[in-house]
Amino acid sequence: MTYKRKDGRKLDELRPISAKVGVIPNADGSAIFQSGKTIAIAAVYGPRKMHPQHQQDPTKGKLRCTYNMMSFSVTDRIRPGINRRSTEISKITEWALDPVLMLENYPNKVVDVFINIIQADAGTRCAGINAAAMALAHAGIPMKNIVTSVSAGKMDKTLVLDLDKYEDSEFKEGEGSTDIPITMTPDGKITHFQLDGKISAKQLNEIIDMAQKACKEIYEIQKKALKDSIEEKQ
Ligand code: ADP
């Protein structure tokens, strides 16, 4: 039996997306990215002097990401502050973005990216990465490319794109379930990949193909948001 999605989406269909840059005037760059009911806002500050000083790198600037889920972002209030999950996602976000950044000309400096999840309905790390990539470009940070992130899952034998929270919970309970967030450049270079569970090489290739197609769609939305902001300024 093929898996029927509760919201009526096709197996390889994204949730409705909206994106906008320049949403926080005081930041050097900012963006909001919404996928279904998941909303992420990213604000970029810098390049500015790295503090604490012992973390300064005289050979290049550093990217520092801080991912945070607002206490009101889920139905049951989350205790505010850093936790194990947010620390992990902050690191992963840095690794996903770092390969496209060109920070060689900013020794001893840091580029701070603050990602806040205003509303969470699964896929928050991907939404955060998408918002952060747009905010970095909006801040004028030199980049080789932008990155785009999406999550795909496997429920037994069925592959599904961009899970929402309902599906994510259902998948986690199902046997052989897997959720795979992937981040890539528009030309298909993968900068981030997380696999929690088991998957065959064949299905993995199918997942990557599905994610690649989806990332192309998301990339167009990111690009349009950046272009719109330039046109608004003129
Ligand atoms: P992602 O948000 O990237 O999908 P997870 O798989 O860790 O990452 O989380 C899945 C979803 O579970 C989140 O998007 C959110 O909707 C929900 N969630 C995560 N942590 C909590 C929490 N502490 N309380 C309530 N819901 C949470």
Side-chain angles (χ1 to χ4, degrees), residues 213-224:
K213 246 179 70 198
C215 281
K216 278 201 179 116
E217 267 179 64
I218 301 170
Y219 167 64
E220 291 302 327
I221 295 166
Q222 289 173 300
K223 198 165 71 176
K224 184 172 183 306

Side-chain angles (χ1 to χ4, degrees), residues 67 69 74 78 85 120-125 165 168 172:
Y67 165 101
M69 236 173 166
V74 289
I78 306 173
R85 179 178 173 274
D121 189 42
T124 63
R125 73 194 65 205
K165 178 66 190 142
D168 194 42
K172 272 181 186 146

Side-chain angles (χ1 to χ4, degrees), residues 7-234:
D7 60 4
R9 276 188 290 155
K10 284 185 243 146
L11 295 176
D12 62 350
E13 190 176 337
L14 288 164
R15 289 177 276 181
I17 295 172
S18 67
K20 188 172 167 47
V21 299
V23 290
I24 304 174
N26 282 354
D28 294 310
S30 60
I32 184 165
F33 185 92
Q34 176 161 7
S35 164
K37 285 190 275 179
T38 292
I39 309 173
I41 293 191
V44 172
Y45 298 89
R48 59 186 180 183
K49 201 166 178 201
M50 168 66 103
H51 287 290
Q53 218 162 330
H54 71 270
Q55 285 185 14
Q56 285 182 3
D57 183 341
T59 64
K60 62 173 173 57
K62 277 192 177 177
L63 172 71
R64 183 167 57 194
C65 295
T66 310
Y67 165 101
N68 176 50
M69 236 173 166
M70 307 297 280
S71 57
F72 51 80
S73 64
V74 289
T75 333
D76 291 329
R77 183 177 176 276
I78 306 173
R79 191 173 172 196
I82 297 165
N83 54 43
R84 199 196 59 79
R85 179 178 173 274
S86 69
T87 304
E88 184 215 323
I89 298 180
S90 297
K91 262 282 151 256
I92 278 161
T93 303
E94 284 171 12
W95 291 338
L97 291 160
D98 204 47
V100 295
L101 294 181
M102 298 158 80
L103 297 177
E104 302 78 13
N105 294 331
Y106 301 101
N108 301 322
K109 298 262 174 80
V110 63
V111 175
D112 268 309
V113 185
F114 296 97
I115 297 161
N116 277 295
I117 306 303
I118 311 298
Q119 196 167 271
D121 189 42
T124 63
R125 73 194 65 205
C126 298
I129 291 168
N130 290 334
M134 291 164 66
L136 284 162
H138 180 239
I141 305 296
M143 292 162 86
K144 286 178 231 165
N145 225 329
I146 205 162
V147 292
T148 304
S149 191
V150 77
S151 159
K154 178 180 75 109
M155 169 73 157
D156 297 325
K157 288 194 178 76
T158 313
L159 305 180
V160 178
L161 185 74
D162 188 23
L163 316 176
D164 62 19
K165 178 66 190 142
Y166 170 81
E167 290 174 326
D168 194 42
S169 324
E170 198 184 12
F171 275 101
K172 272 181 186 146
E173 279 155 25
E175 270 210 34
S177 67
T178 306
D179 185 22
I180 308 175
I182 306 178
T183 306
M184 57 179 82
T185 60
D187 51 357
K189 290 202 181 79
I190 295 171
T191 65
H192 156 229
F193 177 93
Q194 281 177 277
L195 172 57
D196 185 11
K198 279 186 180 171
I199 192 158
S200 69
K202 184 177 169 283
Q203 280 197 320
L204 186 56
N205 278 322
E206 282 174 46
I207 287 246
I208 291 172
D209 282 350
M210 192 154 85
Q212 210 156 19
K213 246 179 70 198
C215 281
K216 278 201 179 116
E217 267 179 64
I218 301 170
Y219 167 64
E220 291 302 327
I221 295 166
Q222 289 173 300
K223 198 165 71 176
K224 184 172 183 306
L226 284 159
K227 272 192 179 161
D228 287 351
S229 82
I230 296 166
E231 276 158 23
E232 270 168 28
K233 269 190 209 151
Q234 284 165 352

